[in-house]
C-alpha cells in the first residue's frame, strides 16, 4: 500500500507522515500493525466527537438505508439538510437565520465572498495578513501569505490586506469595500486571538462604510473554543458566518449563514447565485446533524474549558514559550522550527499524534476531539513532556 500511495495518490509535500491506517475509534487511530495512536489533532479540528462516534455512525447508516444523492442543491426537500440548517439557526443570533450547505470550507468561503459582492455591488475584499481561508482561487486570493500564492497568480483583483488586531489599519476599510473577511481566531498564523475588542471595532467600521463582516469559524466553530461559535467570546455577530470542518463530524462539509434578506439575493440577478451538485448531501447532513445535536445537548463545551486548563497545567516546560489559543484549539510555541518538528515526529513514534500549523513553523497543534478524556489528556501530555525533556536542542 505504501508504494501505491506514493505512486498513484498525488502528494503535496515531499514528506507526508505516511501512517497506514487500519481503523479509528474514540480518541485513538490504529495503524495496520495495530499500533494505537492517541489523537491530539482530530483530523485538523474536523472530528469534534472523536472517531466513529456511535451516534454519528448510526445517523449515517440510517440515512444510507433511506437515500443518498437525489438532486442538486436546493431543489428537493430533504430532511437531514432542513433539520441541520434549522438547528444551526436555533443556536445562532436571529440575524443568522439561513444557511447554505457546501462540500468544503473553501467552497463556503467562495459563497460568502460572492454574497458580499452581490449584496454591496462592490468589488474590494479586505482580509488579514497571515489569514487562511481555503485553497480555491477566491479563498486563496484572501489568504495572507504571499509565498504560497505567487505561483497561482493572477488571483482575484481588488484584495487589500490589513494586520489582524491593528486599529490603525481599520481606516483601510472604506465605502469601496464589499466585505472584511477574518478568522475569529487566526489559525494558520499561530492561533492568534482578537485583542481589545478588535472584532467589534471592525464591525463598527463596516457598519459606518456599508461593508459586510464575514467571520470564518471553520476551525474555532462547533464548540472547539468552549462556546458553539468563537464570536460568542467577543460579542461580535458577523453579517456572514462561515463554518465547516467539525460541523461534519468527520464528513466533508462547509456552510455559510446570513440573514434571510441577504441570502435571498442568491435567488435573483442572477438566479442560482451559487450552484453545487452535492452541497447539503443527505448522508453528510445526517452526520452533521447528529454531531451538532450531541455538542449542543451534552456538556462537552463546558468541559472544553476544564480540559484547556488541564493541558496548560501539565505542559509547563522551558521549551514551551507560550500556549496560545482557546479551549481545545491550542498551539504550543517552541523556540524553533527544528524543535517543533522534532516534537511532532517523535510524538508519532511514541503513539501520540501532533501536527504543524500552516504559517507558524515554531508552533505545534493541539486540537484533540472534544470527547477526549482527562486521563487521555494526561497520557498525551506526559508523552510531550518526556520528549521535550530528552530533545537535542
Ligand atoms: C480557517 C479556515 N478556513 C477555511 C479552511 C478551508 O476549509 P476546507 O479545507 O474544508 O476547504 C480551513 C481549513 O483548514 C480553515 O482552517
Amino acid at each position: 500500500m505504501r508504494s501505491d500511495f506514493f505512486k498513484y495518490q498525488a502528494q503535496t509535500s515531499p514528506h507526508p507522515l505516511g501512517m497506514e491506517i487500519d481503523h479509528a475509534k474514540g480518541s485513538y487511530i490504529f495503524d495496520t500493525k495495530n499500533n494505537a495512536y492517541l489523537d491530539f489533532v482530530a483530523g485538523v479540528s474536523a472530528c469534534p466527537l472523536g472517531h466513529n462516534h456511535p451516534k454519528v455512525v448510526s445517523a449515517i447508516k440510517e440515512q444510507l438505508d433511506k437515500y443518498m444523492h437525489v438532486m442538486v442543491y436546493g431543489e428537493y426537500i430533504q430532511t437531514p439538510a432542513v433539520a441541520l440548517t434549522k438547528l444551526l439557526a436555533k443556536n445562532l443570533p436571529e440575524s443568522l437565520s439561513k444557511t447554505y450547505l457546501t462540500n468544503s470550507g473553501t467552497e463556503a468561503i467562495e459563497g460568502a465572498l460572492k454574497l458580499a459582492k452581490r449584496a454591496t455591488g462592490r468589488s474590494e475584499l479586505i482580509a488579514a495578513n497571515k489569514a487562511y481561508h481555503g485553497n480555491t482561487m477566491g479563498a486563496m486570493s484572501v489568504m495572507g501569505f504571499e509565498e504560497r500564492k505567487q505561483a497561482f497568480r493572477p488571483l482575484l483583483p481588488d484584495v487589500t490586506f490589513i494586520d489582524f488586531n491593528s486599529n490603525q489599519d481599520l481606516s483601510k476599510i472604506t465605502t469601496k469595500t464589499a466585505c472584511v473577511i477574518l478568522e475569529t481566531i487566526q489559525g494558520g498564523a499561530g492561533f492568534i486571538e482578537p485583542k481589545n475588542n478588535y472584532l467589534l471595532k471592525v464591525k463598527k467600521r463596516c457598519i459606518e462604510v456599508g461593508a459586510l463582516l464575514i467571520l470564518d469559524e471553520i476551525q474555532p466553530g462547533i464548540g472547539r473554543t468552549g462556546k458553539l461559535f468563537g464570536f460568542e467570546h467577543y460579542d461580535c455577530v458577523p453579517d456572514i458566518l462561515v463554518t465547516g470542518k467539525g460541523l461534519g463530524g468527520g464528513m466533508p462539509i462547509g456552510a455559510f449563514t446570513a440573514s434571510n434578506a441577504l441570502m435571498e439575493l442568491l435567488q435573483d440577478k442572477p438566479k442560482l447565485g451559487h450552484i453545487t451538485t452535492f452541497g447539503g448531501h443527505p448522508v453528510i447532513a445526517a452526520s452533521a446533524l447528529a454531531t451538532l445535536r450531541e455538542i449542543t445537548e451534552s456538556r462537552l463545551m463546558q468541559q472544553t474549558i476544564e480540559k484547556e486548563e488541564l493541558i496548560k497545567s501539565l505542559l509547563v516546560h522551558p521549551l514551551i514559550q507560550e500556549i496560545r489559543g482557546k479551549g481545545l484549539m491550542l498551539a504550543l510555541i517552541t523556540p524553533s522550527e527544528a524543535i517543533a518538528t522534532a516534537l511532532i515526529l517523535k510524538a508519532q513514534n511514541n503513539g501520540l499524534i501532533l501536527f504543524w500549523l500552516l504559517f507558524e513553523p515554531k508552533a505545534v497543534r493541539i486540537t484533540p476531539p472534544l470527547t477526549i478524556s482527562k486521563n487521555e489528556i494526561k497520557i498525551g501530555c506526559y508523552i510531550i513532556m518526556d520528549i521535550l525533556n530528552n530533545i537535542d536542542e
Side-chain angles (χ1 to χ4, degrees):
M1 198 52 72
R2 172 166 288 274
S3 63
D4 282 0
F5 170 66
F6 285 102
K7 189 167 176 193
Y8 296 111
Q9 191 174 344
Q11 305 301 326
T12 53
S13 132
H15 40 68
L17 287 172
M19 189 194 294
E20 201 171 328
I21 306 303
D22 184 73
H23 66 284
K25 184 99 197 118
S27 304
Y28 283 89
I29 297 180
F30 297 83
D31 71 10
T32 45
K33 294 186 183 124
N34 212 27
N35 296 311
Y37 298 86
L38 178 57
D39 189 358
F40 262 27
V41 174
V44 184
S45 305
C47 308
L49 300 181
H51 300 284
N52 284 34
H53 190 283
K55 288 187 184 166
V56 177
V57 171
S58 77
I60 291 170
K61 285 185 175 162
E62 208 175 293
Q63 184 56 41
L64 270 178
D65 285 338
K66 287 186 185 155
Y67 59 95
M68 289 190 274
H69 178 74
V70 287
M71 192 29 134
V72 295
Y73 181 85
E75 291 294 330
Y76 292 171
I77 300 165
Q78 302 178 47
T79 306
V82 177
L84 173 60
T85 51
K86 185 176 175 184
L87 187 57
L88 276 167
K90 197 181 139 206
N91 284 284
L92 280 165
E94 235 179 278
S95 59
L96 294 170
S97 59
K98 225 164 193 181
T99 296
Y100 190 119
L101 297 169
T102 64
N103 302 282
S104 61
T106 197
E107 188 199 351
I109 294 288
E110 301 290 333
L113 294 175
K114 284 165 68 184
L115 181 56
K117 284 180 148 186
R118 168 69 185 83
T120 59
R122 303 175 185 176
S123 61
E124 186 191 47
L125 310 173
I126 294 195
N129 287 315
K130 295 202 179 155
Y132 182 74
H133 297 290
N135 240 238
T136 47
M137 288 290 188
M140 191 183 269
S141 303
V142 289
M143 177 169 91
F145 200 76
E146 186 55 31
E147 194 186 305
R148 300 264 172 92
K149 31 188 229 185
Q150 247 169 33
F152 309 107
R153 287 193 176 281
L155 295 168
L156 284 183
D158 224 358
V159 181
T160 301
F161 286 92
I162 56 176
D163 279 342
F164 194 77
N165 276 328
S166 159
N167 290 339
Q168 209 181 343
D169 279 3
L170 293 178
S171 60
K172 292 188 181 167
I173 306 166
T174 70
T175 50
K176 293 200 174 106
T177 308
C179 64
V180 178
I181 178 165
L182 296 171
E183 295 159 90
T184 306
I185 297 175
Q186 282 204 307
F191 291 6
I192 313 285
E193 284 185 66
K195 299 260 154 53
N196 303 324
N197 291 322
Y198 175 66
L199 293 180
L200 276 179
K201 289 177 197 161
V202 176
K203 170 94 188 187
K204 184 167 168 274
R205 180 74 187 151
C206 283
I207 292 170
E208 275 163 21
V209 298
L212 299 181
L213 174 63
I214 302 175
L215 285 183
D216 177 346
E217 292 254 358
I218 289 170
Q219 188 154 202
I222 319 300
R224 183 150 290 283
T225 67
K227 293 194 185 274
L228 192 56
F229 297 100
F231 70 75
E232 295 170 43
H233 293 288
Y234 311 105
D235 289 326
C236 176
V237 179
D239 298 292
I240 308 176
L241 170 72
V242 187
T243 51
K245 282 192 188 274
L247 177 62
M251 295 288 257
I253 200 165
F256 59 104
T257 304
S259 66
N260 184 46
L262 273 179
M263 278 300 191
E264 273 186 346
L265 299 172
L266 294 180
Q267 300 175 25
D268 192 29
K269 296 182 195 144
K271 89 179 196 188
L272 298 174
H274 188 72
I275 298 177
T276 167
T277 298
F278 287 122
H281 190 284
V283 177
I284 290 165
S287 171
L289 179 61
T291 303
L292 192 59
R293 273 196 185 134
E294 183 63 13
I295 288 175
T296 51
E297 289 169 9
S298 68
R299 284 189 34 81
L300 281 171
M301 283 192 276
Q302 290 95 310
Q303 291 164 0
T304 292
I305 303 303
E306 295 159 26
K307 291 172 185 175
E308 170 189 356
E309 280 163 12
L310 179 62
I311 292 172
K312 285 185 168 163
S313 72
L314 293 170
L315 294 181
V316 178
H317 193 281
L319 294 180
I320 301 174
Q321 295 180 328
E322 193 187 343
I323 302 183
R324 288 205 203 121
K326 228 180 179 50
L328 289 177
M329 181 178 170
L330 298 175
L332 309 183
I333 308 300
T334 69
S336 70
E337 179 174 358
I339 290 176
T341 294
L343 173 57
I344 292 164
L345 298 180
K346 282 176 198 276
Q348 182 166 314
N349 292 336
N350 284 280
L352 176 69
I353 299 174
L354 298 173
F355 207 57
W356 294 268
L357 297 189
L358 266 177
F359 309 139
E360 174 46 274
K362 292 186 294 186
V364 175
R365 161 191 292 277
I366 297 188
T367 56
L370 308 188
T371 47
I372 196 165
S373 71
K374 290 189 176 163
N375 195 40
E376 288 166 340
I377 287 177
K378 285 182 192 159
I379 294 170
C381 289
Y382 292 146
I383 294 174
I384 293 173
M385 291 297 282
D386 193 45
I387 294 169
L388 291 178
N389 283 336
N390 292 293
I391 217 158
D392 298 325
E393 282 179 59

